[in-house]
C-alpha cells in the first residue's frame, strides 16, 4: 500500500475531535465521508445522530446514495441527517424562530425572490449596466448579512454603503416580513449563538461531516462549529474554491480550520480519472500549487483513457462535432455519461441548439423540467389532485408535503412549475405539458446515461465518463469578467474543476469565429492557458475517433 493509500485509511479511522482532510478531485471524498459515518455511529451517545452538510441538492443526493450503500438504508435513516446549509438554517429557524419573533411557519424563500425585488430598479437600463447594478445590489445585501446581524444592523450597514436602492430593497423586505436566502443563514447564526439553543444541537448531533469546506463562508463555518463539538470532520480541496462571489472565503476558512484541527490529512490517489485525464489534470493542479495525483488502477482503462483537443472554424461546427462524438460514444457504450461543461451559459447556446434537435438523450441542468425527481413530485401531485389543477394548487400541494427545511427542492419545484406553465400555453394544460416532456434521467440516479449540458459551477462535485469543455478561448476561459489577479486565479481553479469531472476522457474544443448577440460573426483567440494544457492534450480529431471505435462494448 502506498503512502497515499494509507492516508485514506488514516482519515477514515482518525479519532481526533477535529479532522481536516484535503481531498483533491476524484480522491474518494464522498466515500470517505460515508466511511467516517460508519465509524462515528459507534461513538454516538444514546439518541444522537450525525449531521452531514453539503452545498447543493445534487451533492446531497450523491452523499445520501453513498451513505445508503455503506450503512444500509435503515441505519442511514436512523443515524444520519443530511442537509444543505440553507436547509440546516431553516430547521433551526423553524424550531426556534419565535425567539427572534419570527413565525416558525414562515414562507420558504424562493431563489428568485430577491432578484424579483431588484428587477424594477433595472427597467430601461442597457443590459450590461443592469447586470452590473444587479450584481452590486446582490453583493451589498449579501455583505450586510454575513454575520449574526439584526434587521437594524443590516439597515445600518446598508445606509453606510451609499447605494440608496440596496437600502430601499431591504427596507421593503423587512416591512413585508419576507425572508431571502441570506436571511435564513444570519437568523440561524443568531439563534445558534444562544447558549441554550446551541446546547440542544450539540447534544443532539454527536458528529458533523462537512463536505467541500473550501466553499464555506465564515458565517457557514460558525454555524457548523456551533452545531456540534463532539466530533467534526471537514473535507474539501482549496484548489476547488470557486465560489468567492457567493461569500466563500477559502483562505480565511482554511486558516481557521487548521488552527482548530492542526495539520490536515492529504489524499493523493485518484479513483476517478484515467491516466491520460489525470496527466492533464495534474499539469493544471501543480501549476496552481497542488500535488500530482496517482491513478488508482492505471491498467484498467482502455488505452489509458484519452485527452484530446480540436479547433473549429465556427461555433456551429464545434457544436455539431460534440453531437457527433457523443453519438459515437453512446453507440458503443449506451450507459455512458457525457458532460458538456461550459464556463459560461452564453458560450453554450449553439451547443444547446444542436442537442435540442438531436435524437440523443440529453438533459439541460439549467432547466428544472429536465430534473426527473422534481417532475415526479409534480406528476404525483397532479394525480392526487385530479382533473386539471392550476399552478397555484400544485405549488401548495407539493410544498405542503416536502420537508419544510428543503429550500433547494422547494425552489426547484417553483422553477419547474413556471417552466411548465409556459409550455402549457402550447399544449393546453400543465398535465398535458408534463406528458409531452422527454424525461431522460432516472430519478433514482444523480446522473443518468446520456448527454448533460451544464455550466462549470453547476457541475461541481459531479463526475462523467466523458467531458467536453467547449470555448477554450480568451474571454471565456478565463472569463472576461475576471479583472483582478485573485479573480483570474479563481478562473484557473474553475478550469481545474471542469477538467476533474472527467473519468475516461476529456476533450477541449474552441472555435475561431462566433456569432455576436447582434447576429454578426467575430473572431476569437485561443485561451492564454493553451500552452499550459497542450502537453497533456495528446490526441486530435483522428486519434479521438480511432480511440472511440476501439472502446469495449
Amino acid at each position: 500500500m502506498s503512502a497515499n493509500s494509507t492516508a485514506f485509511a488514516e482519515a477514515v479511522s482518525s479519532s481526533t475531535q477535529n479532522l481536516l482532510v484535503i481531498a483533491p478531485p476524484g480522491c474518494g471524498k464522498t466515500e470517505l465521508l460515508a466511511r467516517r459515518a460508519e465509524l462515528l455511529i459507534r461513538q454516538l451517545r444514546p439518541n444522537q445522530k450525525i449531521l452531514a452538510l453539503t452545498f447543493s441538492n445534487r451533492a446531497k443526493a450523491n452523499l445520501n446514495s453513498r451513505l445508503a450503500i455503506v450503512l444500509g438504508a435503515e441505519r442511514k435513516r436512523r443515524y444520519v441527517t443530511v442537509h444543505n446549509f440553507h436547509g440546516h438554517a431553516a430547521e433551526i429557524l423553524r424550531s426556534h424562530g419565535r425567539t427572534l419573533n419570527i413565525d416558525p411557519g414562515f414562507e420558504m424563500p424562493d431563489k428568485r425572490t430577491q432578484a424579483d425585488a431588484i428587477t424594477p430598479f433595472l427597467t430601461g437600463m442597457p443590459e450590461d449596466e443592469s447586470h452590473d447594478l444587479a450584481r452590486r445590489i446582490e453583493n451589498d445585501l449579501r455583505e450586510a448579512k454575513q454575520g449574526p446581524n439584526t434587521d437594524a444592523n443590516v439597515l445600518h450597514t446598508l445606509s453606510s454603503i451609499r447605494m440608496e436602492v440596496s437600502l430601499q430593497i431591504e427596507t421593503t423586505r423587512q416591512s413585508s416580513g419576507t425572508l431571502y436566502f441570506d436571511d435564513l443563514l444570519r437568523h440561524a447564526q443568531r439563534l445558534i449563538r444562544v447558549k441554550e439553543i446551541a446546547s440542544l444541537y450539540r447534544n443532539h448531533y454527536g458528529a458533523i461531516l462537512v463536505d467541500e469546506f473550501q466553499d464555506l463562508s465564515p458565517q457557514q463555518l460558525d454555524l457548523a462549529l456551533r452545531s456540534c463539538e463532539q466530533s467534526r470532520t471537514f473535507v474539501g480541496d482549496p484548489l476547488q474554491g470557486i465560489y468567492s462571489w457567493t461569500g466563500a472565503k477559502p483562505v480565511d476558512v482554511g486558516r481557521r480550520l487548521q488552527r482548530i484541527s492542526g495539520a490536515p490529512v492529504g489524499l493523493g490517489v485518484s479513483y476517478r480519472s484515467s491516466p491520460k485525464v489525470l496527466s492533464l489534470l495534474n499539469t493544471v493542479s501543480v501549476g496552481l500549487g497542488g500535488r500530482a495525483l496517482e491513478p488508482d488502477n492505471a491498467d484498467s482503462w482502455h488505452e489509458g483513457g484519452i485527452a484530446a483537443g480540436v479547433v473549429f472554424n465556427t461555433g456551429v461546427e464545434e457544436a455539431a462535432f460534440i453531437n457527433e462524438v457523443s453519438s459515437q460514444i453512446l453507440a458503443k457504450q449506451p450507459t455512458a455519461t457525457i458532460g458538456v461543461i461550459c464556463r459560461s451559459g452564453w458560450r453554450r447556446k449553439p451547443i444547446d441548439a444542436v442537442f435540442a434537435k438531436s435524437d440523443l438523450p440529453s438533459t439541460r441542468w439549467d432547466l428544472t423540467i429536465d430534473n426527473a425527481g422534481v417532475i415526479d413530485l409534480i406528476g404525483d401531485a397532479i394525480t392526487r389532485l385530479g382533473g386539471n389543477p392550476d399552478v397555484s394548487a400544485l405549488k401548495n400541494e407539493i410544498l405542503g408535503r416536502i420537508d419544510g427545511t428543503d429550500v433547494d427542492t422547494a425552489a426547484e419545484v417553483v422553477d419547474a412549475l413556471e417552466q411548465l406553465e409556459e409550455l402549457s400555453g402550447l399544449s393546453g394544460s400543465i398535465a398535458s405539458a408534463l406528458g409531452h416532456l422527454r424525461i431522460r434521467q432516472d430519478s433514482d440516479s444523480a446522473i443518468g446515461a446520456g448527454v448533460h449540458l451544464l455550466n462549470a459551477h453547476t457541475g461541481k462535485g459531479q463526475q462523467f465518463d466523458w467531458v467536453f469543455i467547449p470555448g477554450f478561448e480568451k474571454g471565456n476561459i478565463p472569463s472576461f469578467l475576471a479583472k483582478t489577479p485573485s479573480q483570474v486565479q479563481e478562473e484557473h481553479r474553475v478550469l481545474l474543476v471542469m477538467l476533474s469531472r472527467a473519468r475516461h476522457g476529456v476533450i477541449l474544443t474552441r472555435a475561431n469565429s462566433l456569432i455576436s448577440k447582434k447576429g454578426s460573426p467575430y473572431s476569437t483567440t485561443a485561451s492564454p492557458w493553451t500552452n499550459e494544457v497542450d502537453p497533456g492534450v495528446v490526441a486530435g480529431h483522428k486519434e479521438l475517433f480511432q480511440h472511440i471505435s476501439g472502446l469495449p462494448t
Side-chain angles (χ1 to χ4, degrees):
M1 181 181 290
S2 71
N4 284 330
S5 299
T6 304
F8 187 93
E10 176 189 342
V12 168
S13 61
S14 174
S15 60
T16 186
Q17 178 186 6
N18 296 293
L19 175 66
L20 180 62
V21 181
I22 307 298
C27 287
K29 173 172 57 67
T30 306
E31 179 71 15
L32 171 64
L33 290 169
R35 295 293 176 189
R36 284 288 289 168
E38 184 178 38
L39 172 79
L40 293 169
I41 283 173
R42 305 170 203 160
Q43 302 172 15
L44 297 176
R45 297 194 292 265
N47 301 315
Q48 283 191 323
K49 297 187 74 171
I50 296 170
L51 173 64
L53 293 175
T54 69
F55 281 89
S56 70
N57 266 4
R58 290 187 183 274
K60 187 168 74 171
N62 286 347
L63 184 54
N64 269 319
S65 175
R66 182 51 56 184
L67 285 166
I69 291 170
V70 172
L71 304 177
E74 178 56 28
R75 287 181 75 211
K76 183 263 169 190
R77 183 197 64 78
R78 180 178 178 184
Y79 290 112
V80 186
T81 296
V82 184
H83 274 317
N84 300 336
F85 270 92
H86 285 96
H88 181 46
E91 178 185 62
I92 294 172
L93 210 51
R94 293 269 188 223
S95 301
H96 307 285
R98 291 196 189 279
T99 304
L100 304 178
N101 294 319
I102 295 174
D103 183 354
F106 65 84
E107 183 175 350
M108 195 67 73
D110 183 283
K111 287 185 175 179
R112 290 159 307 164
T113 306
Q114 180 173 291
D116 289 344
I118 295 172
T119 298
F121 296 92
L122 311 178
T123 303
M125 297 179 66
E127 184 177 350
D128 290 346
E129 291 182 21
S130 66
H131 178 79
D132 181 61
L133 178 58
R135 175 171 287 193
R136 287 167 58 200
I137 295 170
E138 289 167 356
N139 288 340
D140 284 352
L141 295 174
R142 182 182 304 114
E143 288 299 318
K145 299 176 182 182
Q146 285 290 312
N149 300 325
T150 65
D151 283 355
N153 293 149
V154 171
L155 291 177
H156 177 74
T157 300
L158 290 173
S159 66
S160 67
I161 292 176
R162 298 182 182 177
M163 194 155 80
E164 181 65 29
V165 62
S166 302
L167 179 61
Q168 187 176 341
I169 288 170
E170 176 60 17
T171 301
T172 302
R173 183 204 68 75
Q174 291 187 17
S175 64
S176 69
T178 304
L179 293 178
Y180 296 161
F181 273 92
D182 290 332
D183 296 310
L184 289 180
L185 290 172
R186 74 178 171 97
H187 286 318
Q189 188 183 20
R190 293 174 66 196
L191 288 167
I192 206 72
R193 288 187 165 215
V194 177
K195 181 179 178 181
E196 293 78 8
I197 294 175
S199 179
L200 289 173
Y201 283 89
R202 289 179 169 184
N203 284 325
H204 181 62
Y205 291 122
I208 188 169
L209 308 171
V210 180
D211 189 17
E212 305 281 22
F213 70 77
Q214 74 279 355
D215 294 336
L216 290 167
S217 67
Q219 183 177 60
Q220 290 165 327
L221 176 60
D222 187 54
L223 192 60
L225 292 173
R226 292 177 185 272
S227 296
C228 174
E229 63 179 354
Q230 186 174 322
S231 176
R232 302 162 173 152
T233 300
F234 291 86
V235 181
D237 176 17
L239 292 189
Q240 295 183 73
I242 60 173
Y243 282 98
S244 65
W245 52 279
T246 67
K249 305 286 185 184
V251 175
D252 295 344
V253 166
R255 285 173 180 166
R256 186 175 179 195
L257 286 175
Q258 289 208 36
R259 286 197 299 269
I260 295 170
S261 308
V265 177
L267 306 184
V269 176
S270 171
Y271 300 95
R272 174 187 299 162
S273 299
S274 67
K276 288 181 181 175
V277 170
L278 201 57
S279 177
L280 178 56
L281 182 64
N282 282 339
T283 299
V284 177
S285 177
V286 171
L288 285 168
R291 63 189 296 185
L293 303 178
E294 301 174 6
D296 174 49
N297 189 351
D299 296 330
S300 65
W301 302 91
H302 170 64
E303 296 181 351
I306 191 167
V310 187
V311 181
F312 300 90
N313 288 326
T314 67
V316 172
E317 291 178 9
E318 177 189 51
F321 169 81
I322 293 172
N323 181 71
E324 180 185 3
V325 176
S326 298
S327 178
Q328 293 203 18
I329 291 170
L330 291 170
K332 293 287 289 187
Q333 297 180 332
T335 60
T337 57
I338 302 170
V340 182
I341 307 178
C342 276
R343 170 60 188 92
S344 305
W346 65 267
R347 186 57 182 80
R348 217 185 65 212
K349 287 183 179 179
I351 298 164
D352 287 348
V354 165
F355 280 99
K357 299 177 181 178
S358 173
D359 293 331
L360 297 180
S362 63
T363 302
R364 273 183 59 183
W365 284 25
D366 54 346
L367 285 182
T368 318
I369 53 174
D370 265 358
N371 183 323
V374 172
I375 295 304
D376 284 348
L377 289 175
I378 296 173
D380 291 344
I382 290 175
T383 300
R384 286 194 300 271
L385 293 174
N388 183 26
D390 61 20
V391 167
S392 178
L394 282 170
K395 176 182 175 181
N396 292 336
E397 170 66 16
I398 298 168
L399 298 187
R401 288 175 176 265
I402 65 175
D403 183 345
T405 65
D406 194 347
V407 184
D408 284 343
T409 297
E412 288 173 355
V413 166
V414 173
D415 280 346
L417 286 172
E418 289 195 359
Q419 292 168 17
L420 280 172
E421 191 171 30
E422 291 180 10
L423 289 177
S424 69
L426 301 175
S427 55
S429 71
I430 296 290
S432 59
L434 190 69
H436 283 95
L437 284 177
R438 294 182 293 170
I439 302 303
R440 304 158 173 138
Q441 180 177 340
D442 179 1
S443 60
D444 293 327
S445 172
I447 297 179
V451 179
H452 298 261
L453 306 165
L454 61 150
N455 298 340
H457 288 84
T458 315
K460 182 79 176 295
Q462 308 303 317
Q463 59 179 314
F464 304 89
D465 296 320
W466 293 78
V467 165
F468 290 90
I469 301 178
F472 204 70
E473 302 131 5
K474 183 178 180 181
N476 184 50
I477 300 176
S479 168
F480 66 91
L481 295 173
K483 307 294 186 184
T484 67
S486 64
Q487 290 171 339
V488 174
Q489 182 82 343
E490 184 158 322
E491 286 293 303
H492 219 150
R493 296 198 295 271
V494 171
L495 173 60
L496 177 73
V497 168
M498 290 192 290
L499 291 169
S500 66
R501 302 307 95 198
R503 297 185 68 251
H504 181 90
V506 62
I507 304 159
L508 307 177
T509 63
R510 71 176 182 90
N512 289 320
S513 175
L514 296 172
I515 302 298
S516 71
K517 291 180 182 179
K518 296 181 179 180
S520 56
Y522 67 94
S523 299
T524 70
T525 57
S527 166
W529 296 326
T530 299
N531 290 337
E532 177 185 1
V533 301
D534 267 354
V537 176
V538 295
H541 187 284
K542 179 180 178 181
E543 294 83 2
L544 175 62
F545 282 106
Q546 289 175 342
H547 179 84
I548 294 171
S549 68
L551 287 172
T553 55

